[in-house]
Amino acid sequence: MSTSTLHTRALDDLRFIRRTMESASAFTGVSGWGQIAIGIIALVTAFASHTVQPGPTWLGEWLAAAALAVVIGVASSIWKGQRAREPFIFAPLRKFVLGFAPPISVGVVLTFYFARLGLFSLLPACWLLLYGAGVMTGGMFSVRSVPVMGICFMVLGCVAVLAPVSWSAALLAAGFGVLPIVFGALIAWRYGG
Amino acid sequence: MTRPVDASANKDAAKGSRELDELIHHRLRLGMVSALAANEQLSFSELKSLLRTTDGNLSVHARKLEDASYVTVTKTFEGRRPLTTYRLAPAGRRALQRYLSHMESIIQVTRDTLER
């Protein structure tokens, strides 16, 4: 084999190794412990706001919880990557964010639109459906548990569309509280944290 | 513009080629070892979907890596379903590191040749 052929093959092999390791890292990209923490925050928020009618105060509480959840989600993924000495965490994380961002951006816009119109009672269904869509599309390259969690969110979103408004707190607690705790525990147990 | 390579460079490259670990030089086995290097463990189905291969193909090549003690296999049950998980053994990790060094040395030989 000539030097140039070997050189091409060597470069190709190195690229293949890097690509495979990046794709394989998707299996460990989402932190299970981070999801559990996010679930607990949502349960506390649902409990604190269950007596409050959907309105500006109620929205403020859920937006504060969402902001905290974003910080915990990102920090726990980075922490997981560093703990596992995983140098390829950013490629799968980028893929997740690219899939997750469009539905979540729509959710942010609709939240402010519905809030401006005073249609707060539409928000639980909107959030569950769009967050589910984001988790599903972002998690397409991750472990199966992640897109399955997205589907569960969307099912709860459909229930929220049909259910009475009084069910909102329970559905939000089930979606943003129970689902991340259950799937987070599964991810932490099976995929190293 | 690329210059023609000289005989000594070809000789170095050929030597490097001969020293390659044929076991992980195979693309699918290289993929398995690389994927397992990035994870503590992976199941059979995760490896299959990651490497886009068939059950039979993956089984054959996993067995070769297992026979060489490059990977360790654990067979358990998840409910009633059998669950096979693979881990990279120390010998497999060393083999991947050697393979990466070989690839880097081949690239270095070419670079040196072009700079002469």
Side-chain angles (χ1 to χ4, degrees):
Chain A
M1 213 183 277
S2 73
T3 307
S4 59
T5 314
L6 273 173
H7 176 257
T8 310
R9 174 69 201 251
L11 275 177
D12 188 40
D13 272 0
L14 288 177
R15 277 193 210 107
F16 173 72
I17 291 167
R18 183 177 176 84
R19 209 170 48 238
T20 308
M21 290 177 90
E22 281 180 353
S23 309
S25 301
F27 288 109
T28 55
V30 176
S31 164
W33 293 114
Q35 289 299 307
I36 292 170
I38 288 169
I40 292 168
I41 289 167
L43 283 181
V44 170
T45 311
F47 182 74
S49 65
H50 82 285
T51 52
V52 183
Q53 278 296 312
T57 310
W58 172 89
L59 178 61
E61 287 173 3
W62 277 103
L63 288 182
L68 191 58
V70 169
V71 173
I72 289 173
V74 173
S76 59
S77 277
I78 293 170
W79 172 75
K80 184 176 180 178
Q82 284 173 343
R83 198 171 59 98
R85 292 181 186 171
E86 173 55 78
F88 300 109
I89 192 80
F90 292 104
L93 205 58
R94 196 184 64 232
K95 271 190 215 166
F96 183 83
V97 170
L98 285 175
F100 187 66
I104 295 306
S105 306
V106 174
V108 170
V109 173
L110 287 180
T111 296
F112 285 101
Y113 183 53
F114 289 158
R116 211 183 59 161
L117 297 176
L119 302 171
F120 293 97
S121 58
L122 298 182
L123 288 173
C126 169
W127 289 344
L128 288 164
L129 284 168
L130 289 169
Y131 188 82
V135 170
M136 207 176 146
T137 51
M140 286 312 286
F141 302 103
S142 191
V143 286
R144 205 186 313 162
S145 312
V146 179
V148 170
M149 181 166 81
I151 293 169
C152 293
F153 265 99
M154 292 179 78
V155 169
L156 282 174
C158 292
V159 174
V161 168
L162 301 169
V165 179
S166 57
W167 288 24
S168 294
L171 288 168
L172 286 173
F176 293 104
V178 176
L179 286 181
I181 290 174
V182 171
F183 283 93
L186 195 68
I187 291 167
W189 173 54
R190 288 194 59 183
Y191 303 103
Chain B
M1 191 176 77
T2 42
R3 293 190 326 202
V5 290
D6 64 24
S8 65
N10 264 336
K11 211 170 146 184
D12 286 347
K15 190 181 164 202
S17 172
R18 273 199 306 275
E19 285 171 0
L20 278 179
D21 184 341
E22 288 299 326
L23 201 64
I24 60 169
H25 189 48
H26 186 279
R27 195 37 79 99
L28 184 60
R29 294 194 290 264
L30 182 61
M32 287 181 71
V33 170
S34 304
L36 290 168
N39 283 279
E40 199 180 328
Q41 63 176 39
L42 287 173
S43 71
F44 185 88
S45 57
E46 284 166 348
L47 276 170
K48 195 180 85 169
S49 91
L50 182 68
L51 299 168
R52 295 191 182 113
T53 187
T54 60
D55 284 13
N57 212 13
L58 186 63
S59 297
V60 168
H61 292 291
R63 175 60 63 88
K64 287 185 180 173
L65 291 174
E66 191 188 349
D67 289 346
S69 301
Y70 280 10
V71 297
T72 55
V73 185
T74 311
K75 293 188 179 189
T76 51
F77 280 88
E78 196 179 50
R80 286 185 175 183
R81 278 175 42 213
L83 178 71
T84 306
T85 49
Y86 294 90
R87 284 169 187 263
L88 191 62
R93 196 169 292 277
R94 285 194 298 274
L96 181 62
Q97 282 164 351
R98 274 199 308 275
Y99 191 81
L100 285 168
S101 300
H102 273 130
M103 295 299 112
E104 282 163 2
S105 65
I106 288 168
I107 291 165
Q108 191 58 49
V109 166
T110 315
R111 190 166 291 149
D112 291 347
T113 310
L114 291 171
E115 284 170 1
R116 265 178 220 159

